[in-house]
């Protein structure tokens, strides 16, 4: 079973606003078993190592980034060889925002500030069990500064017990013949493995601490890309799972379909994907809000050792209910197992432009343990509009790729009738932490009752302006998804003000309901040293950067709740 160390975090140590003292933008990964720091402009590692202290997810939530920086130094160099010449990733090509882009999205022009990066590093998936991000537009140069006409994209997938890394090289210009890709790693305290289907070679470098992975020479053109993947597994961890091959899984629909579904093994990430039907035509939400999607799962482990199986339940393309679907794992008698299913999804896309990982899609991640010589059976149940006769509550990571910003964004919903409340922990869209807020069971924007309603957002936590009237945004923001739903959601956000003086721990919860939307916000601020400020607010409705309220009175009832 999952333990208190089966968690993952992804957060900017430096980079979303400003850089580290040596000019780097640093994305960190932290789990209960290992951690790492990436220089995102170069697609390389700065630190990596096992985490041996038994630190729970809630304790790690508020740890300083120094936990990662104190891990052993690491390196990851990417090298292309073409015609006897070598090229390495030295930096990324700029992808800055434009004024036209921001105005089209209705975002503040303050995001053009030099301290705010473009969209080169994208958060794809974030949640309790899996983190995925990529670093685009990586440039390969030789020692004389000559640039090769290719573009690199490095993608990282982090689970509690291993990390998968892939480099993809493409070109939209002249084709290149005989291109070989190498990864040179110096990482302590781990085992480096290759996907079972990959023909790459792995060898020891010039020093005993260096590992070299290389692909055979091949051609690269507009239609053919070059890829290299590997896994990093920390030493000393007790995981029975190693990403060396697929598990034996059968999946049979119970309702509203009875098809047998075919799992697909993702060799580059060690994940088994189960594609689910879209239900767009099969579900009439207006007249069947009790509909639940149900699939029986059977996972066989014929070996003499226990097995850990990471699963992804996925939907791709337009489908009904994307705004509020809530997956739950139950036993065959219908009792919830208490095993979390991470909810990540995206419905964003830009007309006239195609982006890798644009919406719409849903991905539900879980990790299942199967004992030796046994078969584990359970049911995947997905609630959409109602759970137990009452509109269900859900809280999900909503990917912004296809919209803009490309950082962490969360969305809570009551039922599948549209957004209920959204959160922007890093204020990546330049407005506030509490953004879009929409009432329940009032007339929808397009008419009717069960659809998107008008936006009356937003709000903020810790609006802190220093004595020079410079806003001190919360940094190093982590998100811990304690409950995804469907009865109650509970998600923690924690960070520290940019000047390091105030630490913040915020909890947001949404219960299922059949009358008015409720969102419970709890916050704690720890002042670490004396603070001088020009303005300070612990909680704002509406916020400085986002105030769509259409009314002029809010009051607290005797219980301290907003009414």
């Amino acid at each position: 079973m999952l333990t208190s160390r089966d968690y993952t975090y992804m957060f900017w140590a430096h980079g979303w606003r400003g850089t580290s003292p040596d000019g780097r933008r640093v994305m960190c990964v932290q789990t209960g078993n290992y951690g790492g720091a990436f220089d995102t402009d170069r697609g390389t590692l700065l630190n990596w190592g096992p985490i041996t202290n038994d630190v729970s997810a809630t304790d790690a939530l508020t740890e300083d980034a120094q936990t990662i920086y104190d891990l052993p130094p690491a390196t990851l160099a990417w090298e292309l060889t073409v015609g006897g010449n070598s090229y390495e990733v030295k930096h990324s090509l700029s992808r800055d925002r434009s004024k036209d882009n921001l105005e089209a999205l209705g975002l503040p022009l303050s995001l053009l500030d030099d301290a705010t990066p473009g969209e080169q590093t994208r958060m794809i998936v974030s949640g309790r069990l899996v983190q995925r991000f990529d670093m685009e537009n990586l440039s390969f140069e030789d020692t004389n500064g000559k640039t090769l006409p290719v573009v690199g994209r490095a993608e990282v997938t982090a689970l509690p017990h291993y990390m998968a890394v892939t480099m993809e090289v493409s070109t939209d210009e002249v084709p290149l013949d005989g291109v070989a890709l190498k990864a040179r790693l110096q990482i302590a305290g781990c085992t480096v493995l290759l996907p079972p289907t990959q023909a790459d070679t792995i060898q020891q470098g010039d020093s005993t601490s260096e590992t070299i992975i290389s692909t055979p020479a091949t051609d690269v053109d507009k239609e053919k890309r070059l890829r290299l993947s590997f896994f990093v597994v920390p030493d000393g961890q007790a995981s029975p799972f190693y990403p060396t091959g697929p598990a034996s899984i059968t999946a049979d629909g119970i309702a509203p379909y009875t098809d047998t579904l075919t799992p697909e093994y993702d060799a580059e990430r060690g994940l088994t994907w189960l594609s689910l039907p879209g239900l767009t035509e099969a579900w009439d939400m207006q007249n069947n809000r009790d509909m639940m999607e149900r699939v029986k799962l059977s996972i066989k482990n014929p070996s003499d050792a226990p097995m850990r199986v990471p699963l992804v339940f996925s939907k791709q393309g337009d489908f009904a209910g994307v705004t509020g679907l809530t997956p739950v794992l139950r036993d065959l008698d219908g009792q919830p197992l208490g095993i979390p299913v991470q909810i990540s999804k995206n419905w964003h896309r830009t007309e006239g432009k195609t982006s890798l990982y644009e919406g719409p899609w849903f991905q539900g991640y879980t990790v299942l343990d199967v004992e030796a010589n046994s078969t584990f059976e359970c049911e995947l149940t997905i609630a959409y509009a109602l759970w137990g006769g009452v509109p269900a509550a859900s809280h999900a990571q909503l990917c912004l790729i296809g919209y803009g910003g490309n950082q962490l964004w969360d969305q809570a919903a009551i039922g599948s009738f549209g957004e209920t409340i959204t959160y922007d922990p890093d204020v990546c869209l330049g407005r506030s932490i509490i953004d879009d807020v929409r009432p329940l069971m009032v007339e929808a924007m397009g008419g009717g009752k069960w659809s998107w309603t008008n936006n009356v957002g937003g709000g903020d936590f810790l609006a802190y302006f220093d004595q020079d009237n410079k806003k001190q945004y919360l940094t190093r923001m982590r998100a811990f998804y304690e409950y995804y739903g469907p009865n109650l959601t509970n998600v923690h956000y924690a960070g520290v003000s940019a000047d390091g003086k105030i630490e913040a721990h915020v909890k947001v919860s949404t219960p299922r309901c059949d009358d008015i939307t409720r969102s419970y916000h709890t916050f704690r601020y720890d002042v670490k040293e004396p603070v001088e400020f020009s303005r300070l607010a612990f909680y704002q409705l509406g916020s400085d950067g986002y105030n769509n309220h259409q009314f002029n009175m809010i009051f607290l009832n005797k219980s301290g709740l907003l009414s």
Side-chain angles (χ1 to χ4, degrees):
M1 296 295 293
L2 297 179
T3 71
S4 62
R5 297 180 67 172
D6 287 316
Y7 61 85
T8 61
Y9 289 124
M10 169 173 56
F11 60 95
W12 284 104
H14 296 91
W16 180 236
R17 288 182 176 85
T19 59
S20 66
D22 58 355
R24 299 179 187 273
R25 300 193 187 275
V26 182
M27 176 71 80
C28 291
V29 169
Q30 181 174 351
T31 80
N33 297 285
Y34 68 88
F38 287 82
D39 177 346
T40 61
D41 285 331
R42 300 165 181 82
T44 188
L45 275 168
L46 302 173
N47 304 83
W48 201 95
I51 293 177
T52 57
N53 297 332
D54 190 7
V55 178
S56 68
T58 51
D59 289 337
L61 180 74
T62 55
E63 283 189 337
D64 190 89
Q66 198 60 41
T67 300
I68 305 300
Y69 285 140
D70 285 342
L71 294 173
T75 63
L76 171 57
W78 302 101
E79 178 184 339
L80 280 177
T81 303
V82 184
N85 297 318
S86 294
Y87 303 81
E88 288 191 12
V89 173
K90 300 295 185 181
H91 60 86
S92 63
L93 303 172
S94 175
R95 178 189 269 190
D96 296 326
R97 292 186 173 93
S98 68
K99 180 180 178 181
D100 291 343
N101 171 251
L102 293 177
E103 289 179 339
L105 297 175
L107 299 179
L109 297 183
S110 61
L111 289 174
L112 294 174
D113 188 283
D114 290 340
T116 305
E119 302 177 358
Q120 178 258 350
T121 301
R122 311 184 305 166
M123 292 189 179
I124 307 162
V125 161
S126 185
R128 182 163 175 169
L129 296 173
V130 179
Q131 309 289 345
R132 285 176 58 196
F133 67 96
D134 65 3
M135 298 159 278
E136 294 189 307
N137 300 319
L138 300 175
S139 176
F140 287 83
E141 297 180 357
D142 66 13
T143 54
N144 297 318
K146 180 182 177 182
T147 301
L148 197 65
V150 300
V151 175
R153 185 186 70 87
E155 181 175 323
V156 177
T157 302
L159 279 79
H161 291 86
Y162 71 89
M163 180 177 76
V165 182
T166 295
M167 170 63 81
E168 178 183 77
V169 178
S170 61
T171 179
D172 287 330
E173 300 183 31
V174 295
L176 298 173
D177 300 331
V179 182
L181 175 60
K182 289 184 179 180
R184 296 181 177 270
L185 299 94
Q186 287 187 307
I187 309 179
C190 69
T191 301
V192 178
L193 302 173
L194 298 182
T197 57
Q198 195 158 293
D200 306 338
T201 61
I202 186 168
Q203 65 189 68
Q204 205 65 38
D206 295 335
S207 66
T208 56
S209 62
E210 184 181 50
T211 299
I212 301 174
I213 306 169
S214 61
T215 66
T218 188
D219 300 337
V220 178
D221 55 35
K222 290 184 179 181
E223 305 298 328
K224 186 175 181 182
R225 302 186 176 195
L226 181 59
R227 298 173 68 91
L228 182 151
S229 300
F230 59 87
F231 297 98
V232 181
V233 182
D235 294 342
Q237 50 90 7
S239 169
F241 171 79
Y242 289 91
T244 54
S248 176
I249 302 174
T250 57
D252 296 298
I254 300 174
Y257 50 84
T258 58
D259 308 69
T260 294
L261 308 178
T262 303
E264 296 183 8
Y265 183 62
D266 181 349
E268 290 187 344
R269 301 179 184 89
L271 304 170
T272 298
W273 293 70
L274 187 65
S275 295
L276 306 173
L279 300 184
T280 299
E281 297 179 357
W283 179 36
D284 176 9
M285 184 186 70
Q286 300 292 328
N287 300 304
N288 183 20
R289 288 185 294 281
D290 285 310
M291 192 276 293
M292 292 195 299
E293 186 173 359
R294 302 171 60 199
V295 177
K296 179 183 177 182
L297 301 173
S298 179
I299 306 174
K300 185 177 182 181
N301 179 11
S303 72
D304 295 329
M307 177 186 294
R308 172 155 281 190
V309 182
L311 282 175
V312 190
F313 309 112
S314 71
K315 292 177 182 284
Q316 188 74 33
D318 292 311
F319 62 93
V322 64
T323 58
L325 75 173
T326 312
V328 178
L329 291 175
R330 306 193 293 179
D331 65 24
L332 299 187
D333 293 326
Q335 297 300 312
L337 294 173
I339 300 173
V341 180
Q342 171 181 323
I343 309 175
S344 294
K345 57 192 177 184
N346 188 6
W347 55 67
H348 302 109
R349 55 188 169 192
T350 302
E351 185 176 353
K353 178 183 177 182
T354 301
S355 300
L356 180 67
Y357 301 135
E358 68 178 8
W361 50 259
F362 153 73
Q363 295 170 11
Y365 291 82
T366 193
V367 178
L368 299 177
D369 290 307
V370 185
E371 297 298 325
N373 300 302
S374 69
T375 298
F376 177 82
E377 292 184 326
C378 68
E379 179 185 305
L380 168 69
T381 303
I382 301 180
Y384 284 88
L386 305 184
W387 177 261
V390 178
S394 64
H395 190 122
Q397 177 246 342
L398 179 59
C399 176
L400 290 179
I401 295 172
Y403 177 83
N406 296 343
Q407 304 303 302
L408 181 61
W409 178 277
D410 278 3
Q411 175 249 339
I414 300 295
S416 285
F417 319 131
E419 291 179 340
T420 297
I421 185 169
T422 61
Y423 299 95
D424 182 358
D426 281 307
V427 194
C428 71
L429 297 184
R431 300 182 292 204
S432 55
I433 293 179
I434 306 169
D435 280 6
D436 307 350
V437 179
R438 301 175 188 274
L440 181 66
M441 295 184 180
V442 299
E443 185 174 352
M445 291 184 291
K449 187 176 181 181
W450 308 108
S451 187
W452 288 65
T453 59
N454 283 285
N455 178 16
V456 296
D460 219 347
F461 300 95
L462 192 64
Y464 161 36
F465 295 78
D466 65 17
Q467 58 187 336
D468 297 322
N469 205 37
K470 181 179 180 181
K471 183 168 183 177
Q472 300 298 303
Y473 288 93
L474 290 176
T475 65
R476 199 200 68 208
M477 290 293 279
R478 296 181 177 95
F480 174 58
Y481 302 81
E482 191 172 9
Y483 312 129
Y484 282 98
N487 291 312
L488 175 71
T489 72
N490 198 31
V491 177
H492 303 242
Y493 302 116
V496 62
S497 59
D499 59 9
K501 294 182 178 181
I502 303 178
E503 292 182 349
H505 183 179
V506 174
K507 289 189 288 184
V508 300
S509 296
T510 301
R512 67 176 184 149
C513 65
D514 60 0
D515 45 19
I516 62 172
T517 299
R518 297 164 179 83
S519 184
Y520 299 103
H521 293 169
T522 305
F523 46 89
R524 172 178 175 145
Y525 304 130
D526 288 283
V527 180
K528 311 305 291 185
E529 57 183 279
V531 173
E532 295 185 6
F533 56 88
S534 59
R535 291 178 55 210
L536 182 66
F538 296 134
Y539 190 80
Q540 283 187 322
L541 281 177
S543 67
D544 288 0
Y546 200 149
N547 189 348
N548 277 17
H549 294 301
Q550 299 174 14
F551 39 83
N552 57 17
M553 294 179 64
I554 292 179
F555 68 92
L556 296 176
N557 63 25
K558 292 181 179 179
S559 300
L561 302 178
L562 289 172
S563 300

